[in-house]
Amino acid sequence: MSRVAEVNSIISGVKDMDTGWRKTENVIMAVNAILLGYQVVIGKTLGRSFGGMTQMLLKEVGDLLSEIVDKLTGDGVEYTEENIKEAIRRSLVETGIAKEVIIEELPPEEKHGALLRRFRIRVKDSMFKPIYSILVQKGFTEFPLSPEGMLIAAVVLRILKKSNRDARLNMKAKLPRADEEDLEIVLEEIRPMKR
């Protein structure tokens, strides 16, 4: 099945569901609880080695996620390097995941023979916010399987692959320490240093 067919199947499947009887807040609570369970179990299984998991998830569902963003935003996201911040913002706000997104490009950093182009993204009022405090109570400082981070990474990777098919990203979502803090996602594009 092609990626476009997969996206269309997901969208038509959701549209065909009888949603009139569902209470949105109950659905969001259930999704948060399920996501919390996955996060804790995978965290206990993998420990701190989430980097490979992020790469695998992006490989498996990255294109699918960015295509879904296209459909939800009415194909209105412009996927260009010049428009990367706007693409990130719209991917979260227009899908209803977050109320506000603040993006800052950080100075590049050299690390392990690579140049990292870095972005700090602050996500305000995410629909997944209810699980942040529970993860913090369980000793987590990062949210490696952050849905917000995965969606952002998928959108950015789609942009970067236009000029570099082998583009790679690191993504870390730092959990807020207090209820009023935002989820902070640091996204790094890994560019090998030229010799």
Side-chain angles (χ1 to χ4, degrees):
M1 182 181 280
S2 75
R3 188 174 65 237
V4 172
E6 289 171 346
V7 171
N8 289 337
S9 176
I10 290 169
I11 290 171
S12 66
V14 170
K15 285 182 178 177
D16 291 344
M17 292 174 75
D18 179 7
T19 58
W21 61 271
R22 298 178 203 274
K23 292 184 179 178
T24 304
E25 62 273 12
N26 292 353
V27 172
I28 292 173
M29 282 188 290
V31 169
N32 273 279
I34 292 165
L35 188 60
L36 173 65
Y38 282 126
Q39 179 71 32
V40 171
V41 169
I42 291 173
K44 287 181 178 180
T45 304
L46 295 179
R48 295 213 175 265
S49 47
F50 275 99
M53 172 77 68
T54 301
Q55 298 302 321
M56 286 173 58
L57 278 167
L58 285 171
K59 183 179 178 192
E60 293 299 322
V61 298
D63 290 340
L64 184 67
L65 283 172
S66 67
E67 295 267 347
I68 288 173
V69 168
D70 274 357
K71 297 290 186 185
L72 295 176
T73 60
D75 296 325
V77 175
E78 190 178 332
Y79 291 96
T80 64
E81 291 224 24
E82 299 77 32
N83 198 40
I84 203 164
K85 289 181 185 179
E86 184 64 10
I88 290 170
R89 189 191 69 73
R90 289 186 68 188
S91 70
L92 291 175
V93 172
E94 293 189 24
T95 57
I97 290 175
K99 187 173 187 176
E100 185 181 353
V101 181
I102 300 166
I103 303 143
E104 170 189 6
E105 186 160 0
L106 303 172
E109 185 177 284
E110 192 176 324
K111 193 174 183 180
H112 305 297
L115 185 65
L116 304 178
R117 180 182 181 196
R118 304 175 314 136
F119 294 90
R120 179 183 298 132
I121 301 112
R122 288 186 17 235
V123 180
K124 295 179 174 288
D125 199 22
S126 168
M127 69 179 266
F128 300 106
K129 187 176 181 178
I131 62 174
Y132 300 164
S133 61
I134 298 171
L135 289 171
V136 168
Q137 289 169 18
K138 290 185 175 289
F140 286 80
T141 56
E142 293 182 358
F143 189 11
L145 299 180
S146 158
E148 305 95 334
M150 290 303 299
L151 186 60
I152 290 167
V155 167
V156 171
L157 198 57
R158 179 174 175 177
I159 292 168
L160 298 178
K161 282 187 172 181
K162 288 181 178 181
S163 59
N164 176 8
R165 289 183 56 89
D166 298 322
R168 285 186 48 232
L169 296 173
N170 281 335
M171 181 272 295
K172 292 181 182 175
K174 297 178 184 177
L175 287 164
R177 302 303 292 173
D179 199 35
E180 65 278 352
E181 290 182 24
D182 309 321
L183 180 70
E184 180 181 290
I185 297 166
V186 175
L187 191 69
E188 300 172 332
E189 174 191 358
I190 305 164
R191 297 179 175 181
M193 298 286 282
K194 293 182 180 171
R195 306 245 178 233

